[in-house]
């Protein structure tokens, strides 16, 4: 069985139902600093520039104490959509489950930093029951994102119990396991875990990977084990100043993932979480980075460039803004004109 770092299999019910309200205060909540052995090994073996990029993601800084005016404790406005304290129903066909407040390592740019800073333990049976009851009475929900914290910070028995309870709701509910574990704790991807994930399909692993130096030998083996076990993998990447704000770095990462059989899903502009301004890439520079990636990469390798609009506005494709300048005349009377890759104008008729 798998044993997650710094955790055991006892239920921890130190859940605070008011954490979203609390983090609206002026008090700055400091994340713990914890770096997994696997990530420390990546830092040690990386070239100097890559090692600096890896360290920046996990080492605490006094910059986290600086809160800009536009930053919020609940930057995605999840409080608007909570149906239980830890189940968020924002989009019609899918819900988000915060399964735990713990992580295997703590990312300093985390948009839920004021939840994970409380290190709340794994979701209890009572809370799981409330979630499954809601799902059974809402057939419009087709997908559930199992997130946190990191659900893989629980022990094997906790993960198994949660996934099997969710699968019991109905056979066609798509599970998305959102995790940083392939990078932070690749040793967790054992044959036991693969058997579990296969048994609760349909399931996708949504792996958070920011830099090509995060794809070490052990990390590649964990991801390949998923693919070879019939578990599809899609990634999300956060655009971070001083980490991966370079088209060459991101192109290397996305091409490497596709070569492994993994689809780069999202490149996210950093959310407006409190104390994270030092990680945010200015939108003008972010636009130039995405435009450069669009020239370098095929549609298979290029992720969607998006941002979560503040205060509950949901995901917005920033690519729409960046492609607007290529529209010569917008859709009207069933036709539109746009600039092609050669810079010339072309019209698509009705």
């Amino acid at each position: 069985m798998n044993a997650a770092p710094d955790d055991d299999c006892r239920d921890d019910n130190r859940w605070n139902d008011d954490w979203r309200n609390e983090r609206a205060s002026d008090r700055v909540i400091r994340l713990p600093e914890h770096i997994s052995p696997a990530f420390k090994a990546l830092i040690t073996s990386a070239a100097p520039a890559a090692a600096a990029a890896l360290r920046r993601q996990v080492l605490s800084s006094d910059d986290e104490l600086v809160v800009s005016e536009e930053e919020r404790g609940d930057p995605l406005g999840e409080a608007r959509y909570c149906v239980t304290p830890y189940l968020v129903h924002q989009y019609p066909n899918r819900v988000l489950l915060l399964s735990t407040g713990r992580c295997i390592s703590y990312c300093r740019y985390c948009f839920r930093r004021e939840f994970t800073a409380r290190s709340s333990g794994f979701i209890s049976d009572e809370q799981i029951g409330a979630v499954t009851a809601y799902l059974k009475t809402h057939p419009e929900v087709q997908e559930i994102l199992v997130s946190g914290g990191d659900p893989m910070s629980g022990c094997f028995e906790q993960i198994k119990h949660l996934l099997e309870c969710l699968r019991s709701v109905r056979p066609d509910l798509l599970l998305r396991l959102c995790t940083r574990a392939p990078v932070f704790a690749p040793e967790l991807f054992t044959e036991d875990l693969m058997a579990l994930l296969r048994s609760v399909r349909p399931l996708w692993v949504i792996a958070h990977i920011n830099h090509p130096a995060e794809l070490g030998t052990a990390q590649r083996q964990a991801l390949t084990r998923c693919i070879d076990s019939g578990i599809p993998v899609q990634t999300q990447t956060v655009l971070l100043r001083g980490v991966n704000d370079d088209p060459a770095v991101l192109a290397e990462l996305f091409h490497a993932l596709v070569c492994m059989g993994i689809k780069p899903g999202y490149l996210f502009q950093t959310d407006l979480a409190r104390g994270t301004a030092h990680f945010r890439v200015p939108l003008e520079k972010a636009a130039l980075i995405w435009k450069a990636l669009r020239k370098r990469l095929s549609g298979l390798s290029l992720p969607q460039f998006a941002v979560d609009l503040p205060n509950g506005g949901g995901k917005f494709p920033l690519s729409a803004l960046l492609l607007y300048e290529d529209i010569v005349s917008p859709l009207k009377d069933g036709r539109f004109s746009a600039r092609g890759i050669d810079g010339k104008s072309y019209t698509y008729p009705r």
Side-chain angles (χ1 to χ4, degrees):
M1 297 296 184
N2 298 334
D6 297 331
D7 204 355
D8 57 29
C9 291
R10 294 172 295 176
D11 283 336
D12 185 336
N13 293 316
R14 292 178 297 155
W15 292 71
N16 184 346
D17 291 354
D18 296 327
W19 63 271
R20 289 184 177 87
N21 293 328
E22 284 185 7
R23 55 183 191 169
S25 70
D26 292 332
R27 183 166 58 101
V28 176
I29 304 296
R30 290 297 297 261
L31 271 174
E33 185 178 281
H34 177 67
I35 309 171
S36 69
F39 203 71
K40 287 180 181 177
L42 286 177
I43 294 171
T44 300
S45 62
L54 299 185
R55 283 194 298 269
R56 179 163 165 76
Q57 296 182 66
V58 292
L59 293 181
S60 63
S61 164
D62 286 343
D63 289 336
E64 296 171 40
L65 300 176
V66 179
V67 178
S68 59
E69 183 178 352
E70 69 274 8
E71 292 177 340
R72 296 290 181 269
D74 182 10
L76 273 58
E78 291 176 347
R80 289 175 55 187
Y81 303 100
C82 287
V83 293
T84 79
Y86 304 98
L87 187 68
V88 181
H89 193 174
Q90 181 173 9
Y91 302 97
N93 74 326
R94 58 196 183 275
V95 294
L96 165 71
L97 174 63
L98 303 186
S99 61
T100 179
R102 292 179 178 169
C103 290
I104 301 166
S105 294
Y106 288 94
C107 301
R108 312 314 302 179
Y109 52 86
C110 179
F111 69 90
R112 289 199 192 99
R113 56 189 291 116
E114 299 191 39
F115 172 46
T116 55
R118 290 170 169 78
S119 300
S120 299
F122 209 80
I123 188 169
S124 69
D125 284 348
E126 180 182 2
Q127 292 152 354
I128 292 173
V131 169
T132 56
Y134 182 83
L135 294 174
K136 288 174 182 177
T137 57
H138 289 78
E140 74 276 13
V141 175
Q142 298 174 315
E143 303 180 20
I144 180 166
L145 287 69
V146 183
S147 185
D150 195 319
M152 289 294 294
S153 67
C155 70
F156 183 84
E157 287 79 8
Q158 290 172 322
I159 298 167
K160 182 175 187 290
H161 178 63
L162 174 59
L163 294 180
E164 288 180 345
C165 286
L166 295 175
R167 173 53 58 226
S168 71
V169 172
R170 57 178 181 270
D172 63 343
L173 180 66
L174 176 62
L175 309 182
R176 291 201 234 168
L177 184 62
C178 306
T179 180
R180 197 89 155 99
V183 171
F184 284 155
E187 68 275 6
L188 297 179
F189 288 77
T190 63
E191 287 306 315
D192 283 344
L193 181 66
M194 293 302 101
L196 169 62
L197 299 186
R198 287 194 300 268
S199 72
V200 296
R201 289 181 294 185
L203 176 144
W204 281 65
V205 169
I206 309 298
H208 179 165
I209 305 174
N210 291 330
H211 194 282
E214 296 177 17
L215 296 175
T217 300
Q219 286 73 18
R220 286 175 175 268
Q221 289 174 346
L223 292 163
T224 300
R225 189 169 290 128
C226 291
I227 298 296
D228 290 349
S229 298
I231 307 300
V233 181
Q234 179 176 292
T235 61
Q236 61 179 26
T237 298
V238 181
L239 184 60
L240 299 166
R241 187 195 305 176
V243 174
N244 58 12
D245 54 338
D246 181 334
V249 170
L250 290 172
E252 180 184 349
L253 171 62
F254 298 144
H255 179 69
L257 291 170
V258 170
C259 287
M260 296 172 65
I262 297 168
K263 178 69 179 84
Y266 279 105
L267 173 64
F268 281 114
Q269 179 71 1
T270 312
D271 293 313
L272 300 175
R274 298 197 309 160
T276 60
H278 57 294
F279 281 111
R280 281 195 293 280
V281 178
L283 274 173
E284 294 84 357
K285 180 177 179 180
L288 294 175
I289 291 171
W290 189 82
K291 288 178 182 178
L293 287 173
R294 187 167 174 256
K295 292 179 179 179
R296 288 172 179 246
L297 299 173
S298 69
L300 183 62
S301 302
L302 185 67
Q304 175 78 273
F305 183 35
V307 67
D308 277 289
L309 297 174
N311 303 318
K315 287 184 177 60
F316 182 83
L318 288 171
S319 51
L321 289 178
L322 305 181
L323 294 174
Y324 184 79
E325 63 190 39
D326 291 328
I327 300 174
V328 177
S329 61
L331 184 64
K332 185 178 181 181
D333 299 326
R335 69 185 70 195
F336 79 99
S337 299
R339 291 187 184 88
I341 58 174
D342 56 3
K344 296 180 180 179
S345 177
Y346 296 87
T347 298
Y348 189 90
R350 335 181 170 210

